[in-house]
Amino acid sequence: MADGGAAKRPREVRGGGRQGRAALRGAPGGEPRRPPDGPHLRRLRTGGWTGGAGSRRVRPGPGRGRGRAAAALGARLSAPCADGLVASGVLCAPGKAEKKKWKELKLLKKLEKQRMRELAEKEAEQAREEEQKEDRGRHYTLSVALPGSILNNAQSLELRTYLAGQIARACAIFCVDEIVVFDEYGEDAKSVEGEFEGIGKKGKACVQLARILQYLECPQYLRKSFFPKHGDLQFAGLLNPLDSPHHMRMDEDSEYREGVVLDRPSKPGRGSFVNCGMRKEVQIDRQLQPGLRVTVRLQEPQNPEAKVRKGIVVSSHHPRTVSGLYWGYSVRLASCLSAVFSECPFKEGYDLSVGTSERGSSVDQVTLPSFRHALVVFGGLQGLEAGVDADANLEVTDPSLLFDFYLNTCPSQGSRTIRTEEALLISLSALRPRIEEAVKTPTDS
């Protein structure tokens, strides 16, 4: 300081220039001074800068140039961070490698979500297919009852046989599951076993009708095993075949087949052999008595060159309830009209019964309720009234009291009488759309 002179005022420190750089460096050996707060540096601290290849450049503060300290600070801020987090109070953005890694992770997550979505859609589609497969089954049954005395109206054994064939054909066409042959004259027949005793009332018309119905229902390749030579079947060759779904050809592929258990030894732990009408025998999953008729569900052949096929024994109702296939009818003999109801093979009985008569109400105005087991009863030459009068177990005289519906299935008929085989076709044709509408309604059982 010169004597008598005024003290020199220090020059203002600016962001650039030689003196500014010296001011930023500070004293030797000391800590560097903090750069002055300016709007440009405040912007850097608040995260307005992004690093990387296309990063914004640090704008110098006011002054003649960028100071060395400011350049060092910008270099430190522009250096990429390894974790992409905040470093020294400033948001540090990732570099190229990190961005690429993030893009790959994002793509992997997207692919994983897409894979999970496709897997869920596939599982839902399989569930729908299983549901549709289950829905293919038919869970209701249709039974028909008629008197065996209708055969007595035929004049010869050939005509009796052909009449029985007409009954069988009509029932197969309309997918009848059970045929009940009841007696109007008290023969009290319980089976089709026995000898042929001629034509007429002494010929046991109920037994003959039941035997012919069973013969026609049996697949052709099994008839030798179950039907020996018999007088009732003398003219069975005249009959038209039923050609039902369970009457398979030798080379026809099907999930189910009817067969007979063979009297052939098998290894311990293995099932019996069954003749299913194919070129190869079928080995089932269990040991059964020879001569028994069984329903077999065939498995897919793993080795086409194997000598035998593999199969599983299932119930005779399985093709109907699971796959919706019509699998023939069963035949039952009843000693009287009341036995048709009392000896029902279903545990819950018939929940819908329909009687047919020309004195019933018109079928055109009827709506059937939902049901599980339906029964349609036909009368003989003298109608259902004859069966009611001959049955000692019934206290009623009006047959309409026995049924839920008493219907005339052919109003305004042009003939005085309708034969039973004709009434069977007419009635089942008239009831078919009403039955289909009734089974669409869910039942409580």
Side-chain angles (χ1 to χ4, degrees), residues 72 112 115 138 171 222 238 271 288 297 302 305 417:
E112 181 68 17
R115 190 181 68 84
R138 178 167 63 89
C171 292
L222 297 180
L238 299 174
L288 294 177
R297 184 176 185 178
Q302 298 180 352
E305 298 180 358
T417 58

Side-chain angles (χ1 to χ4, degrees), residues 335-352:
S335 58
C336 55
L337 181 58
S338 60
V340 174
F341 298 90
S342 61
E343 298 175 0
C344 174
F346 307 110
K347 190 177 297 184
E348 57 271 26
Y350 301 110
D351 50 358
L352 176 63

Side-chain angles (χ1 to χ4, degrees), residues 81-394:
C81 298
D83 52 2
L85 301 177
V86 176
S88 302
V90 180
L91 180 64
C92 184
K96 286 185 176 180
E98 284 74 13
K99 282 187 176 180
K100 186 177 180 181
K101 187 176 181 180
W102 284 0
K103 287 182 179 179
E104 290 177 353
L105 291 175
K106 187 176 180 180
L107 182 60
L108 288 175
K109 289 181 180 179
K110 185 177 180 180
L111 292 175
E112 181 68 17
K113 287 183 180 179
Q114 184 178 358
R115 190 181 68 84
M116 294 298 293
R117 186 164 54 250
E118 291 177 354
L119 183 62
E121 291 176 356
K122 186 176 180 181
E123 291 177 354
E125 185 178 355
Q126 289 178 352
R128 285 194 299 269
E129 289 179 357
E130 290 293 330
E131 186 178 354
Q132 290 176 359
K133 188 174 181 181
E134 291 177 2
D135 291 342
R136 283 190 309 167
R138 178 167 63 89
H139 301 285
Y140 70 92
T141 63
L142 178 61
S143 301
V144 164
L146 45 86
S149 59
I150 59 174
L151 293 189
N152 295 332
N153 197 36
Q155 290 79 16
S156 65
L157 183 58
E158 293 91 339
L159 292 177
R160 288 165 68 100
T161 304
Y162 193 79
L163 176 58
Q166 287 180 294
I167 301 292
R169 285 280 302 171
C171 292
I173 289 171
F174 289 97
C175 300
V176 173
D177 301 294
E178 181 193 27
I179 302 178
V180 186
V181 181
F182 65 91
D183 180 37
E184 290 179 312
Y185 303 109
E187 290 182 6
D188 196 18
K190 292 293 184 182
S191 72
V192 297
E193 301 297 330
E195 297 297 328
F196 178 68
E197 297 182 8
I199 300 174
K201 292 183 180 180
K202 294 183 179 180
K204 294 185 178 179
C206 294
V207 176
Q208 184 183 10
L209 176 59
R211 180 179 284 116
I212 296 174
L213 292 176
Q214 287 182 340
Y215 176 83
L216 288 175
E217 187 275 336
C218 182
Q220 291 88 336
Y221 56 87
L222 297 180
R223 288 175 181 171
K224 269 190 175 181
S225 303
F226 296 108
F227 294 93
K229 188 176 180 180
H230 197 280
D232 286 350
L233 305 175
Q234 180 180 355
F235 298 100
L238 299 174
L239 302 178
N240 299 316
L242 299 187
D243 204 17
S244 296
H246 65 300
H247 289 194
M248 304 288 180
R249 279 70 172 173
M250 180 177 291
D251 297 322
E252 187 175 354
D253 290 332
S254 176
E255 185 179 3
Y256 303 94
R257 270 188 177 266
E258 290 291 294
V260 57
V261 180
L262 300 176
D263 189 8
R264 175 180 165 184
S266 59
K267 296 181 180 180
R270 302 285 184 88
S272 302
F273 290 95
V274 177
N275 173 23
C276 291
M278 300 189 298
R279 299 185 186 277
K280 297 180 181 180
E281 295 176 352
V282 179
Q283 190 169 25
I284 56 178
D285 57 335
R286 64 188 71 178
Q287 286 282 348
L288 294 177
Q289 181 181 357
L292 189 66
R293 178 176 170 177
V294 292
T295 304
V296 180
R297 184 176 185 178
L298 299 175
Q299 297 177 350
E300 291 294 332
Q302 298 180 352
N303 182 13
E305 298 180 358
K307 294 183 178 180
V308 296
R309 291 281 301 271
K310 298 291 184 181
I312 301 173
V313 176
V314 296
S315 168
S316 59
H317 307 300
H318 196 274
R320 170 180 61 84
T321 56
V322 175
S323 300
L325 295 173
Y326 176 61
W327 212 245
Y329 54 78
S330 61
V331 181
R332 176 165 66 93
L333 284 167
S335 58
C336 55
L337 181 58
S338 60
V340 174
F341 298 90
S342 61
E343 298 175 0
C344 174
F346 307 110
K347 190 177 297 184
E348 57 271 26
Y350 301 110
D351 50 358
L352 176 63
S353 58
V354 179
T356 59
S357 173
E358 61 181 1
R359 287 171 283 276
S361 56
S362 176
V363 71
D364 298 331
Q365 289 132 6
V366 71
T367 300
L368 300 179
S370 60
F371 65 91
R372 291 295 302 273
H373 307 291
L375 172 68
V376 184
V377 184
F378 297 88
L381 298 176
Q382 301 174 1
L384 286 171
E385 290 79 6
V388 173
D389 294 339
D391 194 340
N393 299 322
L394 296 177

Side-chain angles (χ1 to χ4, degrees), residues 10-38:
R11 300 177 67 179
E12 184 179 354
V13 178
R14 297 180 181 271
R18 188 176 301 168
Q19 293 180 359
R21 287 195 295 271
L24 288 173
R25 280 197 298 269
E31 293 293 329
R33 296 177 184 176
R34 182 178 178 183
D37 287 329

Side-chain angles (χ1 to χ4, degrees), residues 32-35 41 44-45 49-52 55-58 66-82 85-93:
R33 296 177 184 176
R34 182 178 178 183
L41 294 179
L44 292 172
R45 291 193 185 95
W49 172 85
T50 56
S55 61
R56 293 170 55 187
R57 304 179 68 179
V58 179
R66 179 165 44 181
R68 185 178 298 173
L73 177 61
R76 183 166 62 87
L77 291 174
S78 62
C81 298
L85 301 177
V86 176
S88 302
V90 180
L91 180 64
C92 184

